[in-house]
Amino acid sequence: MKISTATLLEELTGRTEKHLQYAGTLLLKPENMLNFRIAADSWSILECLEHLNRYGNFYIPEISHRISSSATSPKADFKPGILGNYFAGSMLPKEKLNKMKTLKGMNPIRSQLNKEVINEFIQQQKQLLDLLKKAEYVNLEKTKTAISISKLITLKLGDTFRFVIYHNARHMVQIENILKNI
């Protein structure tokens, strides 16, 4: 599978802009609604966003550092790596969201959260949009990033963007499902 780099960055930018806009609408909801859980062991809306913020706290500085230290030139097409394509694909929301186990440090269940979580998510989405712009000037295949579970494993920058943004999309669907059940 090969995709135009410009098309990929446009798709990821569009998704991120939607996530940013959607998060803005969540600021209008009362905090008790944002902290509502469908079940005792499920996440609230704020816990979903806190989970994404925790990943953002790793990936945004990592992506930023790799872009700023990259000495590569952009390439017209992007070919995903085997591992990166698998990770990114597994994050895409499906008809029925399959449950996935999360790392202990990334699990926000029973955290005391308020709307600051949404503001942090909004800031992270703005940073992601800025990084997607900067990514136009580097090679998305040759520029590599570490991943949150192991610094020894690296992914192509294009795959890392896909993983992070598709992961966000997955939890936006989860948030929509929570809102439908309130």
Side-chain angles (χ1 to χ4, degrees), residues 22 49 63 74 77 93-94 96-97 119 136 156:
Y22 188 63
L49 292 174
I63 291 169
D77 294 318
K94 294 163 185 67
K96 183 179 182 331
L97 278 184
N119 290 323
E136 294 173 17
K156 296 176 180 184

Side-chain angles (χ1 to χ4, degrees), residues 64-159:
S64 180
H65 169 70
R66 299 304 174 151
I67 288 174
S68 64
S69 62
S70 179
T72 64
S73 298
K75 207 173 136 198
D77 294 318
F78 173 73
K79 186 176 191 267
I82 294 168
L83 193 58
N85 199 43
Y86 170 77
F87 284 150
S90 71
M91 286 299 121
L92 272 173
K94 294 163 185 67
E95 192 72 35
K96 183 179 182 331
L97 278 184
N98 53 321
K99 278 197 165 209
M100 293 182 133
K101 200 99 167 108
T102 192
L103 297 171
K104 190 175 183 199
M106 299 297 185
N107 189 344
I109 195 141
R110 298 190 222 325
S111 300
Q112 295 298 309
L113 303 171
N114 59 36
K115 288 186 181 183
E116 265 316 297
V117 171
I118 301 172
N119 290 323
E120 182 180 349
F121 181 77
I122 287 170
Q123 280 311 113
Q124 287 189 1
Q125 297 317 291
K126 289 177 181 177
Q127 289 174 297
L128 263 179
L129 288 171
D130 183 52
L131 291 170
L132 286 163
K133 268 262 175 265
K134 290 177 180 174
E136 294 173 17
Y137 302 99
V138 298
N139 185 316
L140 299 184
E141 287 181 30
K142 288 200 169 131
T143 306
K144 308 277 184 159
T145 67
I147 63 170
S148 60
I149 57 173
S150 171
K151 302 237 189 249
L152 301 174
I153 300 171
T154 60
L155 297 181
K156 296 176 180 184
L157 177 60
D159 287 332

